[in-house]
Amino acid sequence: MLQRMRIVGGARLEGEIAISGAKNLALPALAAALLTDAPVILSNVPRLCDINSMLCLLDFIGCDIAHRDAHTLEIMLKDTKCTEAPYDFVRKMRASILVLGPLVARFGHAKVSLPGGCAIGARDVDLHIKALELMGAKIELDGGYINAIAAKGLCGCDISFPIVTVTGTENVLMAAVLASGQTRIINAAMEPEVVAFCDLLNRMGAKISGQGTSVLVVDGVKTLGGAEFDISPDRIEAGTYAIAAAVTGGRIRLKNCRYDDLTVFFDTLRETGVCCERNRGDVIVSRGEHDIRPCDVNTAPYPGFPTDLQAQYCVLMSVCSGAAAVTETIFENRFMHIPELARMGATISVHGKTALITGVKKLIGAPVMATDLRASVSLILAGLIADGETIVNRIYHLDRGYETLEQKLSSCGANIQRMAGQR
Ligand code: EPZ
């Protein structure tokens, strides 16, 4: 049954929100369990549809999965049932591609469906494939599948990415940790999730250095062991609720939010006149009565402004006291929230990679359609400040990346309820 979210705007959000574990760290961390026959214990794992999708795939491959508590999982792959990731899994969650590297590294073969495009763009995996070929895998693309074989194992080598790719970096890391010799990943992603992921692999016995820089060096080892690992807080979730505080003129304490994982983002919010204060391991975000100043943004790989916060930022700019340009440099089609915001009264025009936003006094509630994870949460944010009622349809997109969103927002005073959707 398709579900919808109903929001009645107007409340200033006041209170505190505990930030859940990071989806984009938990997903590679789950895939890393394929690299060893020992148990990998992950805590602070967020309860999300994407996590469930990855768990279903790991179960299909043959992993034993135990839930120690609501947010703690133990995963172990003694021996596989198969080394495949069928289309049905991958089409639901493109991060399934993250099983390719570990399966080839540990078992010497993998058959993984190509993810295909998605709402925000083509999202190729050609760089993942090219990297594994450079490391000695024989790869054939056949019937929508990647058939990879490395009967004699993978060999370490230099891998230079022409563009930064987060899961590409993570896939190559998992291939390299069991490869013979040294692998250097040049132009590697530096996202905090990648840095934390290297920490997990090193706890499992890998030898990775260069974390946080654009050159990662991996000295392959024969086998990896298990590890216990706590998933760090989700900086994109934190940034989303920071904007909820800013747009509603409220004050929210983001519990466990790591300011240093979002410095460019918080610096930008400060430019707009929002107060972002470090406070006892949390961040308090507030905006008084004054206007939201316009501030142009270009998304960029870390440490730049995160593309995953672009849609949310457009909502803030849609009610700013001037005009701002928001440029999306990572994905070719990540403005699908814009026509929906326009239906709520926002004044936004898209010119290639740039959205030109002229602030309006207020938005008007309306029925709108979610299209992808971050676009859907931007419509929720718009509903929080719109006059009247907003109904966001197809909120399964939301449930992929936000744990108990309506509870977290209601606890700060939002008028938001989940409803049964259209037939
Ligand atoms: C990760 O996706 C995140 N997902 C995305 O978060 C995030 O938006 C993205 O990184 C950028 O930060 C996970 O970590 C699970 P990329 P990923 O490879 O790795 C192109 C969310 O909302 N590219 O860094 O798939 C690609 O098309 C999600 O939580 C190739 O052309 O993104 C894109 O334009 C959305 N060939 C750019 O690179 C390749 O082989 C960056 O993509 C790989 C990527």
Side-chain angles (χ1 to χ4, degrees):
M1 161 84 80
L2 285 179
Q3 292 190 320
R4 299 182 283 178
M5 206 71 89
R6 175 180 179 273
I7 307 109
V8 175
R12 287 175 188 278
L13 299 194
E14 310 268 352
E16 64 178 47
I17 292 178
I19 301 303
S20 300
K23 166 179 80 82
N24 292 348
L25 172 57
L27 289 170
L30 286 166
L34 297 171
L35 288 164
T36 175
D37 60 3
V40 172
I41 298 161
L42 302 176
S43 52
N44 197 35
V45 178
R47 297 175 65 105
L48 300 169
C49 295
D50 272 11
I51 299 298
N52 292 340
S53 300
M54 181 61 88
L55 290 173
C56 290
L57 175 55
L58 294 182
D59 174 63
F60 176 83
I61 290 169
C63 290
D64 295 324
I65 298 165
H67 292 258
R68 290 197 171 178
D69 65 37
H71 293 94
T72 305
L73 300 171
E74 179 176 327
I75 306 106
M76 183 163 64
L77 180 60
K78 274 269 180 245
D79 41 61
T80 59
K81 285 187 261 185
C82 71
T83 57
E84 291 188 21
Y87 174 65
D88 247 8
F89 289 102
V90 181
R91 72 181 176 82
K92 285 195 197 96
M93 210 254 315
R94 56 175 305 99
S96 308
I97 192 72
L98 284 166
V99 305
L100 176 64
L103 287 175
V104 177
R106 183 168 166 208
F107 301 104
H109 51 83
K111 181 180 178 187
V112 176
S113 167
L114 282 162
C118 79
I120 63 177
R123 297 186 73 184
D124 276 345
V125 289
D126 56 317
L127 301 178
H128 301 234
I129 293 168
K130 278 185 198 131
L132 289 177
E133 285 177 325
L134 280 173
M135 296 176 76
K138 291 278 165 285
I139 293 191
E140 259 182 39
L141 300 184
D142 178 35
Y145 278 82
I146 303 163
N147 291 296
I149 294 179
K152 297 195 184 65
L154 295 169
C155 303
C157 65
D158 280 5
I159 304 283
S160 272
F161 281 127
I163 49 173
V164 173
T165 162
V166 172
T167 50
T169 300
E170 292 161 346
N171 238 337
V172 173
L173 279 167
M174 289 188 277
V177 292
L178 291 178
S180 58
Q182 185 177 86
T183 300
R184 292 194 317 149
I185 306 174
I186 296 133
N187 200 22
M190 298 186 276
E191 272 66 7
E193 294 78 22
V194 176
V195 173
F197 184 56
C198 290
D199 178 26
L200 166 60
L201 293 174
N202 282 343
R203 286 186 193 200
M204 293 169 68
K207 291 189 174 16
I208 302 169
S209 58
Q211 290 86 309
T213 76
S214 62
V215 179
L216 294 173
V217 181
V218 187
D219 290 307
V221 294
K222 281 266 169 286
T223 55
L224 289 181
E228 298 206 20
F229 185 72
D230 192 61
I231 300 294
S232 35
D234 192 320
R235 62 195 173 98
I236 303 302
E237 182 194 24
T240 301
Y241 292 126
I243 291 190
V247 280
T248 60
R251 185 180 192 278
I252 298 179
R253 174 185 286 272
L254 305 171
K255 307 249 337 125
N256 316 318
C257 170
R258 295 180 181 175
Y259 191 101
D260 295 337
D261 286 355
L262 284 167
T263 40
V264 168
F265 170 75
F266 283 127
D267 289 351
T268 305
L269 284 197
R270 285 192 167 143
E271 287 281 303
T272 70
V274 175
C275 173
C276 308
E277 177 208 339
R278 295 168 194 263
N279 185 298
R280 298 199 312 273
D282 304 333
V283 177
I284 297 176
V285 179
S286 59
R287 173 170 71 85
E289 295 297 326
H290 52 74
D291 287 350
I292 297 162
R293 291 194 295 268
C295 177
D296 294 352
V297 149
N298 285 3
T299 64
Y302 192 86
F305 191 100
T307 174
D308 292 347
L309 286 169
Q310 177 259 109
Q312 300 91 316
Y313 185 74
C314 285
V315 178
L316 184 66
M317 290 296 101
S318 71
V319 286
C320 76
S321 59
V326 177
T327 301
E328 171 57 57
T329 70
I330 308 282
F331 291 107
E332 64 269 29
N333 188 31
R334 205 172 197 178
F335 282 142
M336 281 164 305
H337 46 289
I338 292 198
E340 298 305 299
L341 293 177
R343 296 185 59 244
M344 297 177 73
T347 307
I348 311 182
S349 57
V350 175
H351 306 266
K353 289 178 174 283
T354 298
L356 295 178
I357 306 172
T358 306
V360 294
K361 277 268 166 279
K362 62 179 172 181
L363 299 178
I364 314 296
V368 288
M369 190 72 75
T371 50
D372 62 88
L373 170 56
R374 306 303 175 182
S376 53
V377 83
S378 75
L379 301 177
I380 301 282
L381 295 173
L384 292 173
I385 57 172
D387 269 7
E389 178 185 81
T390 297
I391 302 285
V392 181
N393 292 290
R394 293 190 186 163
I395 53 165
Y396 57 86
H397 292 291
L398 260 185
D399 296 334
R400 297 189 46 196
Y402 288 92
E403 188 177 27
T404 62
L405 173 125
E406 64 268 35
Q407 289 85 339
K408 291 184 177 184
L409 288 173
S410 308
S411 74
C412 291
N415 181 344
I416 180 170
Q417 302 86 28
R418 184 180 290 256
M419 304 156 54
Q422 299 121 328
R423 293 269 164 262

